[in-house]
Amino acid sequence: MKAYPFITKVNHIGVATKNYQETAAFYESVGYHEVVGGYDPNQNVYGYFYEAAGMPTIELLAPYDEKSPINKILEKNGVTPYHLCYEINCSIEDAIKEMKGDRFMVIAKPAHSDNLKGRVCFLFHKDVGIVELLEYEKV
Ligand code: NI
C-alpha cells in the first residue's frame, strides 16, 4: 500500500448501536458528554458525537428506519465500533482517487455533514474495513 500523507489525524470512532441512549450511558460513565448530534439525512441515521478529555471522540450511530445502512452492521455484528474517520488536508476527490489505486471502494459518495461541518465519504477495503474521510469546508 502506498503512503497517504494527506491523512492528518483521526477525527472520531464510529460505533453502531440500536439504542444510542443506552450505549451513551457507558460513555457518560467514563466521562464523555454529548456535543452535537441529530438526524443525518445523507446517511439516513441518527448520529451523536461524544467527547471526553484525553479520549478519542466517539460517534454513536443508530438506525433511522429499516432502510438505514447501519442495520447491516448491527445484524452482522451487533453493537460495535465499525469505522474510523480521518481528517484529510486535500480535496476528498483527490483522496478517493489515490485510495482507489489501493483497492479502496467508495461505499458512500462525498456528502456534506452538518455535525462535522465538512464533507465526508466512506470507503471500504477488505484488509482495513470501513474508513470515513473528512474534508473541512473552507469558510
Ligand atoms: Ni463517522
Side-chain angles (χ1 to χ4, degrees), residues 23-42:
T23 303
F26 166 75
Y27 290 98
E28 285 161 355
S29 78
V30 294
Y32 277 87
H33 64 279
E34 186 183 323
V35 283
V36 66
Y39 175 60
D40 179 345
N42 293 311

Side-chain angles (χ1 to χ4, degrees), residues 122-134:
F122 287 86
L123 301 152
F124 174 79
H125 188 290
K126 69 175 177 56
D127 299 323
V128 180
I130 298 175
V131 167
E132 179 179 18
L133 299 178
L134 167 61

Side-chain angles (χ1 to χ4, degrees), residues 2 11 14 31 48 50 59-60 67 97 101 126 129:
K2 65 183 111 169
N11 181 272
Y48 296 90
Y50 283 78
E59 177 186 24
L60 300 181
K67 288 180 190 149
K97 217 177 283 173
K126 69 175 177 56

Side-chain angles (χ1 to χ4, degrees), residues 12 14 43 49 59 61 83 85 116 122 132:
H12 65 265
Q43 293 180 62
F49 287 84
E59 177 186 24
L61 297 117
H83 76 255
C85 176
L116 291 166
F122 287 86
E132 179 179 18

Side-chain angles (χ1 to χ4, degrees), residues 15-74:
V15 176
T17 176
K18 288 168 192 146
N19 181 323
Y20 97 90
Q21 283 110 330
E22 288 183 16
T23 303
F26 166 75
Y27 290 98
E28 285 161 355
S29 78
V30 294
Y32 277 87
H33 64 279
E34 186 183 323
V35 283
V36 66
Y39 175 60
D40 179 345
N42 293 311
Q43 293 180 62
N44 193 38
V45 293
Y46 291 110
Y48 296 90
F49 287 84
Y50 283 78
E51 290 178 1
M55 305 279 218
T57 299
I58 301 289
E59 177 186 24
L60 300 181
L61 297 117
Y64 174 72
D65 59 23
E66 67 283 351
K67 288 180 190 149
S68 299
I70 197 99
N71 287 316
K72 278 188 195 158
I73 306 282
L74 290 165

